[in-house]
Amino acid sequence: MTVQSIDDARDAISKIFRDHWQLFLVEGIVLAILGLLAAVLPLATGFAITILFGWLFLSSGIVGSITTFAMRRAPGFWWSLLSAILGIAAGAWLLVQPALGLASLTYLLIAFLLVEGGVTIMFALEHRGALSGRWEWMLVSGVVDLLLAGVVFAGLPGTIAWALGLIVGMNLVFGGASMIGMALAAHAELP
């Protein structure tokens, strides 16, 4: 690729993000609200908590897939789509299999956070060259996901009793904050 074609691609990508900054903002706000709900609701046992988290994952995946398809020409489309599909799959599985309870939810949460963290980091790195000033938000969100997975895994079985809502809430809040940060950075670039 020539320097001119790289510059043209970078300009096209920036334009896509400036044109769709509202979608990023809406997705970020929804994720942050869902995260706050997950963190402040009392931890229940059995079906109730499994169903609650199923709906939280499913909702975040659906919102993510809508915004991903709305910006399908943006870099990192496949990573973003994978993240949304992962949220939908995790949520659907929890809604279909609530009897497996909190222990399986905890292991599912560890797997989700590991994959989500890796996917988010890859998504951020793919944006690095084209979106200076915005990709760092996604990178931080991915690193936080990996750290949260480590916290849950290191604390088993005790984390089942206290940290599940807080960990899921933190994941969603950081993901939402990164989307809000990207939206505001894109909005600031508008002429």
Side-chain angles (χ1 to χ4, degrees), residues 34-137:
L34 291 172
L36 290 173
L37 285 172
V40 300
L41 291 176
L43 184 63
T45 57
F47 293 125
I49 194 69
T50 305
I51 291 170
L52 172 67
F53 286 127
W55 281 111
L56 289 172
F57 281 125
L58 186 64
S59 300
S60 68
I62 290 170
V63 169
S65 66
I66 291 168
T67 58
T68 297
F69 280 110
M71 298 176 296
R72 61 187 155 276
R73 296 197 194 325
F77 169 81
W78 294 108
W79 294 114
S80 184
L81 182 61
L82 179 61
S83 176
I85 290 170
L86 179 64
I88 291 169
W93 184 80
L94 289 173
L95 292 172
V96 171
Q97 298 290 335
L100 296 178
L102 289 176
S104 62
L105 179 61
T106 303
Y107 291 112
L108 178 65
L109 177 62
I110 293 169
F112 174 80
L113 290 171
L114 287 172
V115 173
E116 176 77 7
V119 165
T120 302
I121 289 169
M122 296 307 295
F123 183 75
L125 294 175
E126 192 166 324
H127 280 84
R128 181 181 55 197
L131 300 171
S132 62
R134 284 180 256 173
W135 69 276
E136 294 94 344
W137 286 97

Side-chain angles (χ1 to χ4, degrees), residues 2-16:
T2 67
V3 172
Q4 180 61 37
S5 63
I6 292 172
D7 289 340
D8 290 343
R10 191 171 290 148
D11 291 343
I13 291 167
S14 290
K15 182 182 179 338
I16 289 170

Side-chain angles (χ1 to χ4, degrees), residues 16-40:
I16 289 170
F17 277 88
R18 284 190 307 269
D19 292 347
H20 298 288
W21 72 272
Q22 298 97 336
L23 289 172
F24 276 114
L25 185 62
V26 168
E27 181 179 2
I29 291 169
V30 168
L31 289 176
I33 290 170
L34 291 172
L36 290 173
L37 285 172
V40 300

